[in-house]
Amino acid sequence: MREFSKGQKIKVKSGGELEVIEKLGEGGQGIVYRVSYNGKEYALKWYFVNKLKDHKRFYMNIENNIRKGAPTSAFLWPVEITEYFEGSFGYLMRLRPKEYEDFSKFLRAKVHFSGINAVINAALQITTGFRVLHNKGFSYQDLNDGNFFVNADTGDVLICDNDNVAEYGKAFGIAGKCRYMAPEVVTGKKKPDIHTDRFSLAVVLYMLIFVNHPLEGERTLKSPCLTEELERKFYGIEPVFVFDKNNPQNRPVENLHRNEIKLWSLYPDFVKEAFQEAFSRESMIGNNIEHRVTEKKWQEIFIKLRDCLAECPSCNNETFLNLSQPESKCICCGKVITNPFVLKVKKNEIALMPSKKIYACHVIYDSEDYNQAMGEVVLSRSVPAVAGLKNNSGRAWTAVASNGVSKSYESGQVIKLMKGLKIRFGNDNDGEIL
Amino acid sequence: MGLYDETVEVPRRTMVLFFVVDTSGSMNGSKIGTVNSAIEDIIPEIADISDSNADAQIKIAALQFSTGAKWLDSQPVSAENFVWNYLDASGVTDLGEACLQLNEKLSRTAFMNDATGSFAPAIFLMSDGEPTDNYRYGLDKLKQNNWFRKAIKVAIAIGEDANKNVLAEFAGNSEAVIDVTSPKELRKWIQFVTVRASEIGSKSSNAGSNSDSGSNEIETKQDIMIQEIQSQKDDIEWKEENPFEDDDSLQW
Ligand SMILES: Nc1ncnc2c1ncn2[C@@H]1O[C@H](COP(=O)(O)OP(=O)(O)OP(=O)(O)O)[C@@H](O)[C@H]1O
Ligand SMILES: [Mg+2]
Ligand SMILES: [Zn+2]
């Protein structure tokens, strides 16, 4: 198949023509071009049609995905498909903005996250993307380090390569990487589906947070030559998590797996326990492979993690507060931090440090939206030692003091924080300051 | 300072790409000239593949054989730092000696010594003639070597005089042998094989997950390489027949 040059015109199925501007890159399945169509710029993925097992079915699947629409804006979803041209075809998607980097660059330490907050945001966005995708009846099928772009500053994520995405029960023979596949897919026992996606999601989340591979440690390093048979063993038949609770065979190796050794020691237990569950023998190759950690559970974990993230008053770095104790130790400088007021609402506990935000998922009784800020901790301008919670929710909150006296606070007003204060956010969703 | 400022790269395995080049007298002229420039020009692309690959880095080792055989570097060199030194052609075709040298270096105590481990190598042989030494001894020995057995192996037979049976024995399969008759074809194939063998060899495989369930045969990287060569052969033939091929470059 020839490569297109600038000016090449190709008919788009829904009408009109696209025009090729330049080649952006090439992958296993095709070439990606920058093109213009209807006065706007897009990315065009053009297939090597001989690399597709059943190109007619593939074409129809993309058409179907276009019809159904992107699950969330994090997906670089197909928006238009071309007509067949010189025996092949392609689809149009949004161009990736340049501040988004390949995830593989983070793994290669060429790009670094700005901090924990960005990492948590990335984890939340990937998790939510998959949750919505799965709720719409799709499975992704081929998640790996080449499938998403991340903004290192903010943690915003774009998920690409959505052409393998298929509705439940359908699967394309995909030539993924076993490093990211569920064990039962590696061994050929199952075709990719929602459950196998959940495994791949856990791998990606682990790599995002701990910047090493969850199944690569002492045991896998012992083999000088990683043949396809050994890959099948390490990722399919007998995978062992590096921090497995019961099996110490595959621990991280000092000086080599440096990131996870350091980071694992700093993250709160509830995060580590979730990964230990996700990569337990049971969840990998045992009886729980259809009951893996769900996106909803990951979402709760990362919201909880964000809720206890705070800036250390001594060194100004990000740290986690242990809210079950009166004080915490900074993960960076080691100094003791007296825990601030804590807002307990629904199942959440939020460390109310200055500038901490609370979100719709906290204050609105039936919301899971962790993106929309609804309140923020501010310091009094007249008495800087006094902290308050500013209502930015657009509706009134009622504060009830421990002696029963209550007062209503409109949006824009600030509630002075006091121990024992109750805040009524509405619809029987009550919070308490601890 | 952020917690993630100091992350180091996730350990990558190493995949060594071997060029084994016949530099006997018969290669003199346009054959060796094409080999030199085709490899030189494709190295930056290999460096890019290595650079953006979180699974493995690519290193390159080159062995030339004519009267005797000689490594161009004392250790495999990372693709980013590798420079192709132009080879000259003269002498006989000691393929057996090349096999012995390759066998010696395909060992954990020689070239395959990375602390983070390796993927099986990719070995790319180019020759235009008939071995002149006792190649049987060397080749048999090499075929016992486990690294060699697991490797992606491709051979290019340059011109009519190449002994394709020997090359097929080296590559393990006649489908992994590519016949070329023109410098244009030679260049295209060298670059194609170099790129695809590097990509396939340096990435975490699908570990046979696409193989028919029930069978214990794992589709290997070598199988995938051979499929790609077959489909490229079809494609190139199609291209060669296409009378409109040069349309792109014409300005109207
Ligand atoms: N929407 C996009 N905007 C800008 N660049 C893109 C876009 N999608 C892909 N690219 C770039 O195009 C190149 C090829 O992408 P593509 O997804 O086809 O290949 P790949 O991920 O390397 O391989 P594979 O086809 O095996 O998934 C990559 O370098 C990628 O960064
Ligand atoms: Mg891709
Ligand atoms: Zn500190």
Side-chain angles (χ1 to χ4, degrees):
Chain A
M1 192 193 73
R2 71 191 178 94
E3 224 170 272
F4 299 135
S5 25
K6 185 175 161 60
Q8 175 69 51
K9 294 201 163 99
I10 298 167
K11 284 208 174 93
V12 174
K13 180 111 187 275
S14 70
E17 281 185 329
L18 63 82
E19 188 171 328
V20 171
I21 300 173
E22 62 173 344
K23 177 175 167 178
L24 290 173
E26 187 170 338
Q29 286 185 319
I31 300 178
V32 177
Y33 298 92
R34 177 202 299 277
V35 302
S36 73
Y37 173 62
N38 280 348
K40 278 205 282 191
E41 291 198 350
Y42 294 91
L44 166 71
K45 175 138 185 179
W46 191 259
Y47 289 102
F48 301 129
V49 83
N50 57 344
K51 298 278 163 62
L52 303 176
K53 276 208 174 120
D54 180 349
H55 63 87
K56 293 216 173 90
R57 220 179 120 214
F58 207 82
Y59 188 99
M60 276 162 39
N61 187 59
I62 293 176
E63 277 191 298
N64 186 42
N65 291 357
I66 292 172
R67 223 175 3 253
K68 290 217 148 186
T72 72
S73 60
F75 288 84
L76 290 175
W77 199 256
V79 291
E80 296 282 352
I81 195 162
T82 71
E83 293 189 355
Y84 272 84
F85 177 69
E86 294 182 353
S88 189
F89 63 94
Y91 71 84
L92 293 179
M93 65 189 133
R94 253 189 303 153
L95 278 165
R96 147 175 65 149
K98 61 176 179 315
E99 56 283 8
Y100 287 76
E101 302 275 7
D102 283 67
F103 181 52
S104 57
K105 284 201 182 160
F106 292 76
L107 302 178
R108 293 234 39 230
K110 301 220 154 188
V111 181
H112 302 264
F113 276 108
S114 60
I116 302 169
N117 194 49
V119 172
I120 297 174
N121 186 35
L124 275 170
Q125 289 205 12
I126 292 173
T127 305
T128 307
F130 277 81
R131 185 165 179 204
V132 178
L133 186 83
H134 289 160
N135 284 344
K136 290 202 163 186
F138 286 114
S139 66
Y140 189 86
Q141 316 224 355
D142 184 19
L143 189 58
N144 65 57
D145 62 338
N147 300 138
F148 43 99
F149 303 126
V150 188
N151 182 326
D153 232 27
T154 61
D156 288 335
V157 172
L158 291 173
I159 303 168
C160 58
D161 274 358
N162 296 294
D163 42 7
N164 279 311
V165 171
E167 286 184 71
Y168 195 80
K170 298 184 186 163
F172 295 96
I174 45 136
K177 294 180 180 185
C178 62
R179 266 183 120 190
Y180 296 87
M181 288 179 191
E184 68 273 25
V185 175
V186 174
T187 53
K189 286 190 195 125
K190 250 178 100 174
K191 296 276 181 243
D193 65 11
I194 288 177
H195 304 295
T196 67
D197 271 2
R198 285 189 173 146
F199 181 86
S200 305
L201 175 65
V203 173
V204 166
L205 291 173
Y206 184 88
M207 295 186 82
L208 196 70
I209 296 170
F210 298 107
V211 207
N212 276 116
H213 192 287
L215 306 178
E216 293 169 8
E218 194 185 332
R219 168 172 174 264
T220 53
L221 263 190
K222 276 188 199 137
S223 304
C225 180
L226 191 62
T227 59
E228 292 87 325
E229 288 84 358
L230 281 175
E231 285 194 293
R232 176 172 271 223
K233 178 173 164 196
F234 294 149
Y235 304 102
I237 301 168
E238 299 168 8
V240 179
F241 180 38
V242 292
F243 290 114
D244 189 288
K245 274 189 174 159
N246 311 310
N247 182 351
Q249 265 187 59
N250 200 24
R251 291 284 182 251
V253 175
E254 216 156 323
N255 289 323
L256 208 55
H257 302 112
R258 277 158 54 189
N259 304 324
E260 68 192 343
I261 291 175
K262 173 178 161 192
L263 293 165
W264 188 260
S265 72
L266 301 178
Y267 270 82
D269 287 344
F270 64 88
V271 176
K272 298 193 270 195
E273 280 157 13
F275 282 106
Q276 280 174 323
E277 183 188 335
F279 299 121
S280 66
R281 193 174 186 283
E282 283 292 281
S283 289
M284 290 204 288
I285 52 174
N287 291 328
N288 276 348
I289 64 171
E290 301 211 333
H291 306 282
R292 290 182 169 135
V293 179
T294 60
E295 295 85 83
K296 187 174 189 314
K297 171 102 186 275
W298 285 122
Q299 235 174 24
E300 287 167 5
I301 288 164
F302 296 129
I303 290 173
K304 181 169 178 181
L305 188 60
R306 192 176 62 177
D307 287 344
C308 72
L309 188 66
E311 191 180 287
C312 167
S314 306
C315 71
N316 295 332
N317 285 308
E318 293 171 296
T319 186
F320 303 111
L321 301 181
N322 181 351
L323 299 178
S324 59
Q325 306 286 329
E327 49 186 38
S328 309
K329 225 173 169 186
C330 172
I331 60 170
C332 185
C333 68
K335 294 237 171 72
V336 171
I337 303 167
T338 310
N339 285 344
F341 288 119
V342 171
L343 171 66
K344 191 165 190 301
V345 61
K346 294 194 203 169
K347 280 190 280 179
N348 310 292
E349 291 187 326
I350 306 138
L352 297 178
M353 300 290 262
S355 83
K356 188 81 189 171
K357 290 192 170 83
I358 63 174
Y359 297 84
C361 60
H362 299 125
V363 304
I364 300 194
Y365 78 106
D366 62 348
S367 173
E368 291 183 2
D369 181 352
Y370 56 82
N371 249 329
Q372 198 187 352
M374 290 281 169
E376 184 176 357
V377 178
V378 293
L379 294 178
S380 158
R381 257 180 280 172
S382 51
V383 191
V386 174
L389 180 62
K390 184 170 182 191
N391 178 357
N392 290 326
S393 72
R395 58 161 93 181
W397 294 342
T398 304
V400 185
S402 38
N403 62 5
V405 178
S406 73
K407 185 178 169 190
S408 173
Y409 290 83
E410 298 297 322
S411 195
Q413 293 185 308
V414 180
I415 306 171
K416 189 176 92 172
L417 296 177
M418 292 178 284
K419 210 171 173 99
L421 194 73
K422 288 211 165 67
I423 303 177
R424 303 210 156 125
F425 295 110
N427 293 74
D428 286 334
N429 184 27
D430 295 351
E432 188 178 355
I433 309 292
L434 308 176
Chain B
M1 192 202 71
L3 186 58
Y4 284 81
D5 288 354
E6 288 175 1
T7 53
V8 296
E9 94 168 353
V10 178
R12 300 191 288 170
R13 294 206 171 233
T14 295
M15 200 282 302
V16 184
L17 169 66
F18 287 87
F19 291 109
V20 182
V21 183
D22 178 346
T23 51
S24 62
S26 57
M27 287 285 290
N28 203 9
S30 77
K31 288 178 187 166
I32 197 68
T34 304
V35 170
N36 281 326
S37 75
I39 296 179
E40 179 180 48
D41 291 348
I42 204 68
I43 295 299
E45 194 165 325
I46 304 307
D48 284 348
I49 294 169
S50 176
D51 187 52
S52 61
N53 183 356
D55 296 339
Q57 65 163 329
I58 299 170
K59 289 186 177 176
I60 301 173
L63 175 66
Q64 66 172 118
F65 64 98
S66 53
T67 308
K70 193 178 110 198
W71 291 100
L72 302 198
D73 296 286
S74 58
Q75 279 287 323
V77 177
S78 67
E80 290 88 339
N81 296 325
F82 184 82
V83 258
W84 182 256
N85 290 312
Y86 270 53
L87 302 175
D88 294 323
S90 68
V92 295
T93 313
D94 289 343
L95 179 64
E97 178 59 21
C99 291
L100 288 175
Q101 298 242 9
L102 191 55
N103 179 49
E104 188 194 318
K105 297 299 184 193
L106 285 172
S107 150
R108 204 178 186 181
T109 56
F111 279 7
M112 317 311 285
N113 58 359
D114 241 280
T116 53
S118 301
F119 281 125
I123 303 171
F124 185 11
L125 170 65
M126 288 158 253
S127 176
D128 74 337
E130 191 74 49
T132 47
D133 61 353
N134 174 12
Y135 75 90
R136 172 62 40 209
Y137 173 75
L139 186 55
D140 282 346
K141 216 159 172 172
L142 181 59
K143 281 162 69 182
Q144 306 290 312
N145 184 307
N146 268 325
W147 292 95
F148 185 77
R149 285 165 51 178
K150 299 291 179 192
I152 294 175
K153 298 176 286 283
V154 180
I156 289 193
I158 306 171
E160 306 297 322
D161 299 334
N163 184 332
K164 280 183 249 164
N165 293 332
V166 176
L167 296 183
E169 202 182 333
F170 183 95
N173 189 323
S174 62
E175 291 183 320
V177 179
I178 301 158
D179 293 311
V180 302
T181 48
S182 73
K184 192 178 155 203
E185 268 183 300
L186 177 58
R187 180 181 171 87
K188 223 158 30 185
W189 276 111
I190 287 176
Q191 299 197 334
F192 175 80
V193 171
T194 304
V195 167
R196 290 309 297 156
S198 299
E199 282 179 338
I200 296 168
S202 67
K203 288 199 177 142
S204 167
S205 77
N206 69 22
S209 53
N210 270 349
S211 316
D212 291 337
S213 49
S215 93
N216 282 323
E217 292 278 302
I218 296 184
E219 181 186 59
T220 61
K221 289 180 171 179
Q222 173 76 346
D223 295 335
I224 294 168
M225 187 71 219
I226 287 173
Q227 285 165 25
E228 296 219 354
I229 289 171
Q230 280 330 104
S231 80
Q232 192 67 9
K233 276 180 182 166
D234 300 342
D235 207 26
I236 281 182
E237 274 154 24
W238 174 80
K239 257 188 177 164
E240 237 70 287
E241 283 164 18
N242 181 1
F244 305 113
E245 192 197 9
D246 58 3
D247 262 14
D248 305 341
S249 53
L250 296 178
Q251 306 262 316
W252 300 99

